[in-house]
C-alpha cells in the first residue's frame, strides 16, 4: 500500500472513462484509469461505428477505443489493465479507498465511475458464435446494416419495443419474439409497436436456435403453449432483453435505482457521495450511446476538477 492520495481515479475504459481521462489529464489531475475486465468496454464487441461524429467513413469499435486510449495516454493518463474488486467510500476522510483484484490499495480524492453496463444475452451457443455476424444487442448501432432485410428482435420491454420500431423503419419485416402473452413495455411503446404493420409479434415464443454457419440466415422458434416449432428466415437477430449495469461493487455506498443504475444529480455527474462521480452507461439506461457516454465522461471530469478546487486540494 502506498500513502499517496491520487487526485483522480477513473474506473472503466469505455468512451465515458477515456473521455473523463482526457479531460482530467489535461487539467493536471494526473488520473489513474483502471480498464476493468474488458478494456475498451462494449464497443470492443462492435464492428463498425458509423454514428460517432468525426469519423465520416465509420470506424471499427476496437480501433476507435484504441484511439481513445492513445488520446488519454498522450496527456499522461496512467492506464492500468486491472480490475477494481472493492471500494470504500465511507472512509471518514476526505479521500476514498479502492482495491484492485490483485489486492493493491489506492486512495483518491475523486473517483469517476465509468464501469458501463453489459447487455444480457439468451445464452445460446449459436448466439455467441454468430455475434456481430447477424447477432447484435444494439439496433441503433447495427440496424443500418440490415436495411431491406428481415430481422427478429427478442424481448418484451421498452428496449425491445424501441429496437423493433427503430428497425421497422429500415426493414420490411420485423419479428418480435415475446416469451409471455403480454409486453412489459410501457403503454406508449406498446402502441407504437402495434401501429407498425411490418412488426409481427410472436406471443409465447422463444428462440431455440439461431441458424447459419458464418452469418445468420434464420432463427428456429418454439411456441411454449403449443410446442410448435417454426423457422423464421431472418438475417438479423437483435437481443433486447435488458442490460445490467456493472455497479455491484458500489452497492451499499452509492444511491442506485432498483436495477442498479447509479443515480446522479440531474444535469451533473455528482453521486450522493462527495468526490465520487458517475458517467456513461453505469448511470444511463435511456440513451446508452458512445457519444452520450463520452459527453457524461467529460462532465464527470469537469465536476471532479471543480470539486478539487472547492475543497482546496492542489
Ligand atoms: P426489461 O427488464 O424492462 O425487459 C426485459 C424484457 O426481456 C422483458 O420483456 C423480459 O420478459 C424479456 N426477457 C428477459 N429475459 C428473457 C429471455 N431469456 N428470453 C426472452 N425474453 C426475455 O429491460 P429493458 O432493457 O427493456 O428496459 C430496462 C429499463 O430501461 C426499463 O425500466 C425501461 O423502461 C427502461 N428503458 C427506457 C427507455 C425509454 O424511456 N426510451 C428505452 C429503453 C429502456 P418478461 O416480461 O417475461 O420478464
Amino acid at each position: 500500500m502506498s500513502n499517496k492520495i491520487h487526485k483522480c481515479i477513473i474506473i472503466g475504459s469505455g468512451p465515458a472513462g477515456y473521455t473523463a481521462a482526457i479531460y482530467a489529464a489535461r487539467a493536471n489531475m494526473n488520473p489513474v484509469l483502471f480498464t476493468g475486465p474488458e478494456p475498451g468496454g462494449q464497443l470492443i464487441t462492435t464492428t463498425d461505428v458509423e454514428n460517432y461524429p468525426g469519423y465520416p467513413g465509420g470506424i471499427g469499435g476496437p480501433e476507435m477505443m484504441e484511439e481513445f486510449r492513445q488520446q488519454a495516454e498522450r496527456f499522461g493518463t496512467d492506464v492500468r489493465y486491472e480490475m477494481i474488486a472493492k471500494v470504500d467510500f465511507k472512509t471518514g476522510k476526505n479521500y476514498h479507498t479502492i482495491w484492485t483484484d490483485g489486492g493493491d490499495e489506492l486512495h483518491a480524492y475523486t473517483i469517476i465511475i465509468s464501469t458501463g453496463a453489459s447487455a444480457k444475452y439468451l445464452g445460446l451457443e449459436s448466439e455467441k458464435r454468430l455475434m456481430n455476424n447477424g447477432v447484435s444487442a444494439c439496433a441503433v448501432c447495427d440496424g443500418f446494416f440490415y436495411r431491406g432485410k428481415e430481422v427478429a428482435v427478442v424481448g418484451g420491454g421498452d428496449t425491445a419495443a424501441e429496437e423493433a420500431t427503430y428497425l421497422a423503419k429500415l426493414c420490411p419485416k420485423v419479428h418480435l419474439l415475446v416469451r409471455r402473452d403480454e409486453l412489459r413495455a410501457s403503454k406508449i411503446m406498446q402502441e407504437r409497436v402495434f401501429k407498425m404493420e411490418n412488426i409481427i409479434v410472436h406471443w409465447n415464443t422463444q428462440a431455440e436456435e439461431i441458424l447459419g454457419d458464418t452469418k445468420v440466415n434464420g432463427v428456429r422458434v418454439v411456441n411454449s403453449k403449443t410446442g410448435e416449432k417454426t423457422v423464421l428466415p431472418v438475417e438479423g437477430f437483435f437481443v433486447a432483453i435488458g442490460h445490467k449495469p456493472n455497479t455491484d461493487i458500489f452497492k451499499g455506498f452509492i444511491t442506485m435505482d432498483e436495477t442498479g443504475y447509479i443515480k446522479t444529480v440531474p444535469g451533473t455527474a455528482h453521486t450522493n457521495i462527495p468526490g465520487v462521480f458517475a458517467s456513461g452507461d453505469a448511470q444511463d439506461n435511456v440513451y446508452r450511446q458512445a457519444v452520450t457516454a463520452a459527453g457524461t465522461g467529460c462532465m464527470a471530469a469537469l465536476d471532479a476538477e471543480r470539486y478539487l478546487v472547492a475543497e482546496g486540494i492542489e
Side-chain angles (χ1 to χ4, degrees):
M1 183 189 97
S2 136
N3 286 330
K4 178 174 174 148
I5 304 175
H6 296 274
K7 281 191 189 166
C8 180
I9 288 179
I10 298 164
I11 311 175
S13 57
Y18 280 135
T19 304
I22 292 164
Y23 275 77
R26 294 184 80 252
N28 280 340
M29 289 159 71
N30 309 318
V32 179
L33 180 148
F34 286 93
T35 62
E38 199 167 60
Q42 290 179 74
L43 279 168
I44 291 303
T45 58
T46 305
T47 45
D48 294 314
V49 181
E50 294 188 328
N51 53 9
Y52 199 93
Y55 295 103
I59 183 166
E63 288 82 8
M64 184 165 111
M65 294 322 298
E66 173 62 15
E67 293 195 354
F68 270 60
R69 184 186 61 76
Q70 285 175 12
Q71 194 170 351
E73 285 190 327
R74 181 180 152 212
F75 299 110
T77 304
D78 177 358
V79 176
R80 301 191 189 176
Y81 294 86
E82 284 175 276
M83 248 179 87
I84 297 306
K86 200 169 92 169
V87 302
D88 182 0
F89 294 161
K90 286 184 183 153
T91 58
K93 315 228 171 55
N94 68 342
Y95 61 81
H96 302 290
T97 303
I98 64 168
W99 289 265
T100 66
D101 59 351
D104 288 342
E105 181 177 320
L106 292 97
H107 307 295
Y109 294 111
T110 68
I111 304 273
I112 296 177
I113 299 172
S114 319
T115 46
S118 306
K120 292 184 197 160
Y121 288 97
L122 298 172
L124 302 171
E125 179 281 323
S126 47
E127 176 188 50
K128 207 180 264 175
R129 183 168 46 83
L130 293 162
M131 183 63 62
N132 290 327
N133 288 306
V135 175
S136 165
C138 180
V140 179
C141 321
D142 299 332
F144 190 74
F145 304 116
Y146 298 92
R147 269 177 314 162
K149 296 178 177 167
E150 198 164 326
V151 297
V153 175
V154 53
D158 277 331
T159 303
E162 200 169 71
E163 304 234 320
T165 45
Y166 180 86
L167 289 164
K169 291 176 199 144
L170 301 169
C171 307
K173 214 183 249 186
V174 178
H175 300 273
L176 182 60
L177 313 180
V178 183
R179 69 176 172 183
R180 290 186 294 137
D181 58 1
E182 61 176 350
L183 293 173
R184 179 186 293 275
S186 53
K187 283 279 166 289
I188 182 157
M189 294 302 291
Q190 296 199 20
E191 278 165 24
R192 280 185 205 155
V193 167
F194 297 140
K195 230 192 257 168
M196 307 285 293
E197 281 176 7
N198 57 338
I199 298 180
I200 300 132
V201 183
H202 299 258
W203 303 108
N204 303 308
T205 299
Q206 286 197 276
E208 201 176 62
E209 193 174 358
I210 306 160
L211 308 173
D213 289 334
T214 53
K215 56 186 187 152
V216 172
N217 58 25
V219 57
R220 190 170 66 240
V221 298
V222 57
N223 183 303
S224 56
K225 285 266 156 78
T226 62
E228 191 190 342
K229 296 188 183 188
T230 322
V231 171
L232 304 171
V234 299
E235 293 179 66
F237 184 84
F238 291 85
V239 188
I241 60 171
H243 285 75
K244 186 184 178 310
N246 303 317
T247 56
D248 287 352
I249 59 167
F250 310 114
K251 283 198 176 126
F253 296 105
I254 297 281
T255 304
M256 303 173 183
D257 72 10
E258 61 287 351
T259 50
Y261 284 93
I262 293 173
K263 286 193 176 169
T264 50
V265 176
T268 78
H270 286 267
T271 68
N272 60 308
I273 304 279
V276 179
F277 305 87
S279 59
D281 287 11
Q283 52 85 57
D284 171 19
N285 71 357
V286 178
Y287 300 103
R288 299 196 196 109
Q289 300 301 300
V291 68
T292 50
T296 56
C298 160
M299 288 164 62
L302 293 177
D303 284 346
E305 185 195 355
R306 286 169 194 160
Y307 170 85
L308 290 175
V309 171
E311 293 293 304
I313 298 162
E314 293 288 308

